Amino acid sequence: MKKFLSLVALLAVVLTANAAYPDKIKRIKAPKSATLVGVVYCGDLPMSGVVVSDGEQTTITDAQGIYRLKSKKPCSTVFISTPYGFRAVSNGDVRLNYWRHVQYEPKVQERHDFELERVSDSKFSLLMLSDTHFCNNPKIEDLRHFEQLVMPAVKSAAEESGDIPSYAFILGDITWDRFWYETGFDIERVPSYLKEQGFPMPVFGVMGNHDNDPSTIPDAAADFNGAKRYRKVFGPTYYSMNVGRTHIVVLDNIVYKNEVKPNQKQHEGVVGSRNYDLCIDDVQLAWLERDLSYITNKTTPIIVCMHAPLHTYDGEGRVISGLTKGSDKRLVELLKDFKQVRIFSGHSHRTSSFVHEQYPNIVEYNITSVGGDLWKTPNKCGMNIGEDGGAAGFRKVVFDGDKCLNLWCNTEVVGGSNIPFRAYDMNVVSGIYKDDELLQKLCTLQRKQKDYSDAAYADYVYVNCWAWEQGCSLTISENGTPLTVERVKDSDPLAAKVVFAPAAKTTKKESSKTNRLSVSANMFRAKCTTSDATLTITFSTPSGEMFTQELVRPVAFPVE
């Protein structure tokens, strides 16, 4: 009997030692004004110094891993900024449990604990996807195209990363709000769908304009109420985390309005016009200032993920701000003192890279939609391309300490190459333009649209290099002799034919405005000395990748 009791006592000790840490903290001493309390822990150990926030207030956990927030629960969530070497545990699908949805009225105290797990993340990879526009629309077959074009590329990128931690960010417009009530594919459907497809890594959401509930009443609370369903699925619309040596911030720069407009199109469940402003509000900027105050080492790499870009192009191809109400300048002011800042954005459905004019330590990668032109072009031409003619795809970012590799992954065709450019033999393009009535009509309706049937483009080769960023190089040689390469802001011939010319069929009104979406900022050209000599095109990236293509002319146009 004594031996049996000893075994029971020993078992009790073992169970106590292995018990989750919150079991030891049955009650948290806190004033009534501390309406949000809880414990952050890893196994049976408390996690001290972890930043916790309600979207306005921030605090850090004490030596017992306890946090206490005097919160009015303004954002209906409470969340942590996971520390280096740890991550929140999974909730069973593609999401991690770094946030909780509040349950009670602002004055009622409630407890939310957060469990972390250790992870070796000195080296890690991130996939930056944007504008998936899930909607289950049978006309464009978005889900089929995602499964056949995007998922294989995502899984391949994950396999190449091996055992290092990998995470994916979908940079807004995860869904297509217009179809929430028509097809039933809404924001709530996303996590289970991605799990069903075997998405190979945790996914973090970024709020996009199409992720708001279109049934929202257009009043002063439209922005908050429009994101209610998003918050219940993906948590806070802005938050932060630490991975490796890198601090990652997700921002919400969509202010939803959903105003009712005269003669607006009617769609099932849609109340207003689904309009919005592109800016970061004061509350969020104040939160960001507090969040960054905990990052005292200014050499810490900073990543900012948001939907609308900080930089964009106007109708003439000039770089302008993508945000309004001065929020662009205030954001830059908060970031400018960090040695390396990378901003990843979407929204534009085009691929661009910008270096801030005043602060070259701030670089932005504006990423096209993985669905190209809203998933339409695969059925039109068998290729998944964006509005600027670039291949649909995503960026893979690999960090090793503070060193960064920034790679491009195509999702243009099933099993296609990952060459991040497309070359055009303009002698062939000229014939395409001459014979295509819709292209000619497009050039008439859009006076600044380039008419490539003009003899001025004879013997040129054009290269749309969508993965271009600072530090890249592009060389073109003819029979071994280097040609002079110049960067131009010109139309992409394939996008003009496949994306824009079909709309000219029903358009009658002439426009003097530039169709900015057909213009690629990543277009290069060279004048050849002959019309048929073989060309060698070599593209190199700052990450050390090199892509070479032999261009045997004449080169067939990508589509008939």
Side-chain angles (χ1 to χ4, degrees):
M1 177 63 73
K2 288 183 178 179
K3 185 176 182 181
F4 174 75
L5 291 174
S6 297
L7 288 173
V8 171
L10 178 61
L11 179 61
V13 170
V14 171
L15 289 175
T16 302
N18 291 333
Y21 180 73
D23 295 340
K24 303 174 184 178
I25 310 293
K26 299 296 185 182
R27 184 175 177 275
I28 294 175
K29 293 181 180 181
K32 290 183 179 181
S33 58
T35 55
L36 292 174
V37 299
V39 176
V40 183
Y41 67 100
C42 179
D44 62 347
L45 298 175
M47 294 292 299
S48 64
V50 177
V51 178
V52 185
S53 180
D54 65 354
E56 286 189 3
Q57 307 300 319
T58 58
T59 188
I60 59 174
T61 56
D62 62 18
Q64 292 183 292
I66 295 173
Y67 70 90
R68 303 168 181 84
L69 270 173
K70 296 181 179 180
S71 173
K72 296 180 181 179
K73 307 175 185 177
C75 301
S76 74
T77 58
V78 57
F79 53 94
I80 62 172
S81 184
T82 50
Y84 306 124
F86 296 86
R87 68 181 173 194
V89 297
S90 171
N91 73 348
D93 50 39
V94 295
R95 297 168 295 176
L96 298 182
N97 282 326
Y98 63 92
W99 62 276
R100 297 287 188 277
H101 203 278
V102 300
Q103 303 294 319
Y104 303 110
E105 294 298 316
K107 292 183 179 180
V108 178
Q109 187 178 92
E110 55 188 291
R111 174 173 173 172
H112 297 283
D113 297 340
F114 296 93
E115 181 182 2
L116 303 181
E117 60 185 12
R118 291 185 182 275
V119 60
S120 179
D121 60 3
S122 59
K123 185 175 183 180
F124 65 93
S125 72
L126 307 174
L127 299 191
M128 297 293 182
L129 302 86
S130 191
D131 295 78
T132 47
H133 287 280
F134 294 131
C135 59
N136 196 20
N137 182 348
K139 292 183 179 179
I140 60 175
E141 299 182 286
D142 54 292
L143 300 185
R144 180 174 72 85
H145 294 319
F146 179 81
E147 292 158 19
Q148 293 183 352
L149 294 170
V150 180
M151 280 305 302
V154 168
K155 290 179 179 179
S156 176
E159 290 172 3
E160 291 171 359
S161 294
D163 295 332
I164 67 172
S166 297
Y167 308 95
F169 289 79
I170 303 181
L171 302 169
D173 285 0
I174 304 169
T175 58
W176 196 343
D177 53 343
R178 201 204 111 176
F179 295 96
W180 276 23
Y181 297 94
E182 185 175 324
T183 69
F185 201 110
D186 48 32
I187 197 70
E188 286 90 345
R189 180 73 177 89
V190 175
S192 60
Y193 172 71
L194 292 177
K195 182 181 180 181
E196 291 163 9
Q197 300 311 312
F199 205 92
M201 62 191 72
V203 175
F204 293 93
V206 178
M207 186 73 191
N209 50 291
H210 288 294
D211 298 318
N212 284 285
D213 185 348
S215 70
T216 301
I217 301 301
D219 56 20
D223 184 50
F224 181 81
N225 291 333
K228 271 186 177 180
R229 291 176 65 182
Y230 175 94
R231 287 193 299 273
K232 288 183 178 179
V233 176
F234 282 104
T237 61
Y238 54 93
Y239 54 96
S240 71
M241 68 193 74
N242 300 285
V243 185
R245 288 197 62 245
T246 303
H247 186 66
I248 303 174
V249 176
V250 172
L251 298 178
D252 173 8
N253 57 14
I254 304 297
V255 177
Y256 194 57
K257 300 163 77 173
N258 202 30
E259 295 169 321
V260 177
K261 299 289 181 70
N263 303 318
Q264 70 182 35
K265 292 182 179 180
Q266 299 299 311
H267 302 290
E268 185 176 346
V270 178
V271 169
S273 59
R274 299 177 291 142
N275 63 323
Y276 51 89
D277 290 331
L278 298 178
C279 66
I280 306 171
D281 62 33
D282 293 342
V283 172
Q284 190 175 167
L285 287 168
W287 167 85
L288 178 60
E289 184 174 10
R290 286 190 288 273
D291 178 77
L292 293 176
S293 71
Y294 294 101
I295 312 301
T296 56
N297 184 351
K298 299 303 181 182
T299 66
T300 300
I302 303 293
I303 284 181
V304 177
C305 299
M306 57 190 189
H307 183 54
L310 177 65
H311 304 86
T312 189
Y313 293 98
D314 67 7
E316 302 297 330
R318 295 170 298 207
V319 178
I320 59 172
S321 174
L323 303 180
T324 62
K325 302 182 179 180
S327 61
D328 56 335
K329 294 181 175 61
R330 293 178 64 187
L331 174 60
V332 169
E333 188 65 25
L334 292 172
L335 299 173
K336 66 181 177 62
D337 292 331
F338 290 93
K339 185 177 180 181
Q340 49 176 316
V341 178
R342 294 174 179 87
I343 298 174
F344 293 90
S345 58
H347 187 62
S348 69
H349 292 211
R350 60 190 301 144
T351 305
S352 304
S353 176
F354 303 91
V355 177
H356 194 276
E357 185 177 14
Q358 187 176 359
Y359 302 107
N361 53 311
I362 301 177
V363 180
E364 179 173 17
Y365 300 92
N366 188 215
I367 299 173
T368 189
S369 166
V370 294
D373 180 36
L374 293 178
W375 301 108
K376 298 172 187 175
T377 61
N379 287 344
K380 289 181 180 179
C381 65
M383 301 169 67
N384 187 20
I385 65 169
E387 295 166 331
D388 58 354
F394 55 87
R395 282 194 178 271
K396 177 180 177 180
V397 187
V398 181
F399 271 93
D400 189 353
D402 58 0
K403 296 179 181 179
C404 176
L405 297 179
N406 202 326
L407 315 172
W408 177 260
C409 302
N410 288 343
T411 60
E412 185 177 55
V413 296
V414 176
S417 75
N418 210 36
I419 293 178
F421 63 81
R422 185 186 307 111
Y424 297 98
D425 182 342
M426 298 308 286
N427 292 333
V428 173
V429 171
S430 175
I432 297 292
Y433 270 67
K434 287 177 182 177
D435 297 337
D436 193 311
E437 293 182 2
L438 289 180
L439 277 172
Q440 284 299 308
K441 187 178 180 182
L442 176 67
C443 294
T444 301
L445 294 171
Q446 298 285 346
R447 292 184 180 182
K448 295 178 182 179
Q449 181 82 27
K450 296 298 175 70
D451 182 357
Y452 288 132
S453 67
D454 194 298
Y457 299 101
D459 296 335
Y460 269 100
V461 60
Y462 270 58
V463 181
N464 186 343
C465 197
W466 49 81
W468 185 266
E469 61 174 297
Q470 185 183 47
C472 286
S473 67
L474 180 71
T475 61
I476 304 174
S477 61
E478 182 181 29
N479 289 331
T481 302
L483 299 176
T484 300
V485 179
E486 60 176 330
R487 189 174 185 178
V488 292
K489 294 175 182 176
D490 279 350
S491 310
D492 180 271
L494 180 60
K497 180 175 176 61
V498 174
V499 178
F500 298 102
K505 189 174 184 178
T506 56
T507 303
K508 297 180 180 180
K509 187 177 180 181
E510 183 178 340
S511 173
S512 60
K513 295 181 180 180
T514 300
N515 189 339
R516 67 177 184 86
L517 293 178
S518 68
V519 175
S520 170
N522 303 315
M523 189 71 78
F524 298 81
R525 71 176 186 176
K527 178 76 170 180
C528 306
T529 61
T530 68
S531 62
D532 58 359
T534 298
L535 305 178
T536 301
I537 302 173
T538 301
F539 173 66
S540 301
T541 73
S543 297
E545 294 180 296
M546 181 177 291
F547 304 89
T548 299
Q549 185 179 64
E550 295 292 322
L551 209 63
V552 180
R553 297 187 293 165
V555 181
F557 196 70
V559 296
E560 295 182 0

